[in-house]
Amino acid sequence: MASNTAKTMQLLHLGSMLNLFPVLLLISFGFVLGKIGSATFSPESYLPNFRALSPTPASKKACVKLPTFMESGRLTASSGGPMHNMTDEELLWRASMEPRRSTQVSTVPKVAFLFLVQGALPLWPLWEIFFNGQDKELYSIYVHASPGYTDLAPKESVFYGRLIPSQGTKWGDMNLVDAERRLLATALLDLGNARFALFSESCIPLLGFPAVYAHLTGGSNTNVSFVDSYPIKERHDPFFADRNISLAQWRKGSQWFEMDRTTAVEVVAEERWYAVFRGDHGMLNMEEHYLPTLVTLLRWGARCKNRTLTYVDWSTRREHPRSFPEKDITAELLEGMRQGDGKCGYKYHGDDDGASEVEFCHLFARKFSKDALTKLIQLAPELWLV
């Protein structure tokens, strides 16, 4: 009997506890609602990992002033070619932000051929032969001509539609460097371009495309630039010394360069020394000094070979190098240009049994007259068979 009474008491106690539980639950829920209602909700309190994505208060913005043109929404190039609607300032800024390594999905690097000309390319048929039959994924072409020039290249030409927005240039003026930077910046917008070579309308290739491409993109040359640069006293005005360009840093060289992507980005991004060379110093031919002197100012060192791959004959000791008309064109002349002084050490291995190995100092040459075209086309097939 006592045992039944005890069990009855336990059941009554348990029932009381079960009846009390909903009451406690309601009280707890009300307490939580009260705390939430009286607090200021802050996403950062509950999502600490997203704090970096939250907008920075105006009073705490970093001290970085973006160019005013960033608000214009015009930093886009035409998808159909190198034409765009950007100003020089916009173009150079955008190009300076591009990766310093080729980031194309394909691992095959492209060579950008940059032509700085006044108008039509008188030797374009020779270049057409040079590019004919080659994989278009291996190269790109950009042409900077006088603003009034109309593209007359036929649609089947590799030069068709390759004009870039340009401005006027003249001999001996710093605006030639402006044009070079414009060409580099436009080519940098193509992430596949890994090498950049500058040519005039009087330049020709001394080797066939396969040999040129192999030399520029293969082996130890992958991360090396060819910017002609040698010490000289000529034109080192006190203007430059007063602006921290010493005679020991002063250089001269050919403007016809070949460089890798890293160096190209540095050239379009550089502003300090560019402003000095554009200053009121009254000196001509700064295109012969700006890039060569950057070699020392930016300490390119082993990254730069301090010479050009484009042959030029200055033996006439005049303001302009020697020009080669049709009567001067021979296979021996062109072979001599390729070989140079024989101390360059550039090698291209043929595709046969590996026995054919030729050393070249130069891959390109200038200045060739328009009347030399026919003779050059006749010699090209044999000359390029290396």
Side-chain angles (χ1 to χ4, degrees):
M1 189 69 177
S3 176
N4 290 337
T5 302
K7 289 181 179 181
T8 301
M9 292 299 294
Q10 289 177 357
L11 290 174
L12 291 174
H13 180 69
L14 179 59
S16 300
M17 292 296 293
L18 290 175
N19 291 332
L20 183 62
F21 180 79
V23 178
L24 294 175
L25 184 60
L26 287 174
I27 294 174
S28 300
F29 186 69
F31 176 80
V32 172
L33 288 177
K35 293 294 288 183
I36 293 177
S38 62
T40 301
F41 181 74
S42 174
E44 289 83 354
S45 302
Y46 299 92
L47 303 172
N49 292 333
F50 294 166
R51 184 173 300 173
L53 302 180
S54 302
T56 304
S59 60
K60 295 183 180 181
K61 284 185 178 179
C63 298
V64 176
K65 181 176 177 56
L66 295 178
T68 55
F69 58 75
M70 285 294 291
E71 300 177 359
S72 67
R74 300 193 311 154
L75 297 183
T76 57
S78 169
S79 59
M83 294 301 290
H84 55 79
N85 63 348
M86 292 179 279
T87 65
D88 273 0
E89 181 188 13
E90 294 168 348
L91 173 64
L92 294 170
W93 186 89
R94 170 164 173 187
S96 69
M97 297 294 106
E98 293 294 336
R100 299 195 177 198
R101 290 287 184 272
S102 176
T103 58
Q104 191 180 28
V105 175
S106 171
T107 58
V108 179
K110 288 199 293 187
V111 177
F113 291 79
L114 316 177
F115 290 87
L116 176 52
V117 302
Q118 289 296 322
L121 281 164
L123 302 176
W124 72 266
L126 181 66
W127 284 99
E128 290 282 357
I129 297 173
F130 175 79
F131 290 113
N132 184 45
Q134 305 304 321
D135 187 347
K136 292 186 178 181
E137 295 299 317
L138 300 181
Y139 69 89
S140 54
I141 296 173
Y142 303 86
V143 181
H144 184 291
S146 297
Y149 174 70
T150 302
D151 190 356
L152 301 178
K155 287 188 176 182
E156 61 271 16
S157 170
V158 294
F159 292 97
Y160 179 77
R162 303 314 299 172
L163 286 174
I164 72 167
S166 65
Q167 295 186 25
T169 60
K170 63 181 180 179
W171 178 83
D173 197 288
M174 189 65 180
N175 56 28
L176 289 170
V177 176
D178 296 341
E180 294 170 12
R181 283 158 56 94
R182 210 171 285 128
L183 279 163
L184 280 173
T186 304
L188 281 168
L189 300 184
D190 183 338
L191 300 183
N193 287 328
R195 309 291 298 188
F196 306 80
L198 181 69
F199 307 98
S200 72
E201 58 268 273
S202 67
C203 286
I204 69 165
L206 292 173
L207 292 166
F209 182 89
V212 168
Y213 182 85
H215 175 76
L216 296 181
T217 63
S220 60
N221 291 331
T222 303
N223 298 318
V224 172
S225 294
F226 297 86
V227 178
D228 201 26
S229 178
Y230 56 87
I232 196 172
K233 294 181 179 180
E234 180 185 7
R235 303 192 188 116
H236 185 257
D237 191 82
F239 176 92
F240 299 102
D242 292 343
R243 287 157 180 80
N244 298 316
I245 303 179
S246 67
L247 180 59
Q249 296 170 312
W250 188 250
R251 296 290 187 272
K252 184 181 179 181
S254 170
Q255 72 182 103
W256 313 106
F257 60 76
E258 193 288 319
M259 61 181 60
D260 69 342
R261 190 176 180 90
T262 297
T263 304
V265 172
E266 291 183 13
V267 170
V268 301
E270 198 282 309
E271 295 182 351
R272 175 186 176 184
W273 305 114
Y274 175 75
V276 172
F277 277 85
R278 282 203 65 87
D280 188 18
H281 45 68
M283 306 292 291
L284 293 176
N285 303 110
M286 287 298 99
E287 79 280 2
E288 297 179 354
H289 295 276
Y290 174 65
L291 278 181
T293 304
L294 278 190
V295 173
T296 58
L297 294 175
L298 300 186
R299 300 179 180 180
W300 287 341
R303 289 167 46 197
C304 181
K305 289 292 187 180
N306 295 334
R307 70 176 202 83
T308 179
L309 295 178
T310 301
Y311 175 88
V312 183
D313 185 353
W314 285 100
S315 62
T316 56
R317 298 184 180 277
R318 298 177 180 175
E319 286 186 340
H320 301 282
R322 175 186 172 185
S323 183
F324 297 94
E326 181 183 18
K327 66 182 181 64
D328 292 344
I329 307 303
T330 65
E332 292 73 23
L333 172 72
L334 301 178
E335 180 63 27
M337 292 177 176
R338 294 198 306 193
Q339 297 291 342
D341 59 9
K343 299 178 181 178
C344 300
Y346 302 126
K347 300 179 180 179
Y348 171 69
H349 297 271
D351 291 330
D352 51 10
D353 59 359
S356 59
E357 179 177 296
V358 185
E359 295 187 358
F360 302 112
C361 280
H362 304 101
L363 308 183
F364 314 100
R366 64 184 304 265
K367 302 172 53 174
F368 289 84
S369 302
K370 182 179 181 180
D371 66 356
L373 177 61
T374 301
K375 194 68 172 293
L376 289 170
I377 290 178
Q378 292 174 354
L379 294 173
E382 180 180 354
L383 186 71
W384 293 348
L385 285 177
V386 292

